Amino acid sequence: MTELSLPSKVIICEVAPRDGFQAESEWIPTDQKVQIIRNLAATGIQSMEITSFVHPKAIPQLKDAEEVVKRSQDLTGMKFRALVPNLKGAERAMDSGITKLKLMLSATDSHSLSNANSTVKEAQDKLEPIIEAAHKKNVTVGGSISVAFGCPYEGAVPVSRLVDILERYKAMGITEVSLADTTGMANPRQVYDLLGELKVRFPTITFSMHLHNTRGMALANAISALQQGIIHFDSSIAGLGGCPYAPGASGNIATEDLVHSFSEMGIKTNINLDSIIEVAKGVKKTLGHDGGSYMLQAGPNSALHLKPKEQVKMQDNG
Ligand code: ZN
């Protein structure tokens, strides 16, 4: 019998301060945002997408991006990155001290037109000046592809389309690309086969997975990716998140669920499971809801129940 071969450790990037908060219609005071970021940092999380430097009118919830970054800068153990939709956003991010930018791009024209008001080609053309500006300031840039595994408007996304986008990213000097299942349309077989193909075609690119749990497949998809040797995963505390441009989309894979699964499998995350569950509980309390979290519903495997006999004894004792 052969044993399943999996990576021994993974790197989880917490995205709730961007992907989660942007989906909240009610204003979250900056103090609360910063407190959640600090609580997350205390669990051992080492990587975080802290905000998006999007136009304040487009997503008012993130209009305090500069202040959030400024007030989190003493968290030196954390690698912060910010999502930037355009050059103006990139300039704002870099001016506020961000040293890693994440670019936005959709896999399909329909999603791109609704999200960025441009076709994919036009949107990718606009990335070049951002990359140039970042290089001048020694700022790292990572790429992303939204709706990479399925588009809510167009359905299946041909592999050739992803290959074209990745070729262009590669030509721009991008070496990290986040593949996003923005509306939870991916399935485990698809993830496994697609990553297998992309890894062979683009051996110099590091892929990360950004999975939404819209249809309950995010965890299975994460394990599929893990089986292809992927070690970079995005997740969101308490399962917060959704794409404001994709109708019906909700819930990133919950960080506490991902940490629990990996820890049960003996894969290191550097994140303390008990602490992250506590933070998830706190976030749920602060915001008044979660975005879907098995840990918040059932607790971890380690939280054993009383045996039936002990329950009877407890009842006897009143
Ligand atoms: Zn997302």
Side-chain angles (χ1 to χ4, degrees), residues 13-22 36 40 48-50 235-237 240 255:
C13 180
E14 172 61 48
V15 299
R18 194 279 300 173
D19 210 350
F21 292 173
Q22 78 173 21
I36 291 170
L40 285 163
M48 186 183 286
E49 192 165 296
I50 187 171
S235 62
S236 177
I237 192 75
L240 298 178
T255 305

Side-chain angles (χ1 to χ4, degrees), residues 39 52 66 72 87 102 125 127 135 142 149 167 176 187 206 214 223 227 232 237-238 249 251 266 272 274 294 298 302:
N39 293 345
S52 170
E66 274 92 352
S72 307
L87 184 59
K102 188 173 130 185
D125 287 343
L127 300 180
H135 281 175
F149 300 90
E167 287 289 2
E176 279 176 46
N187 70 70
T206 301
T214 322
I223 304 308
Q227 285 178 286
H232 294 271
I237 192 75
N272 183 287
D274 293 334
Y294 295 108
S302 59

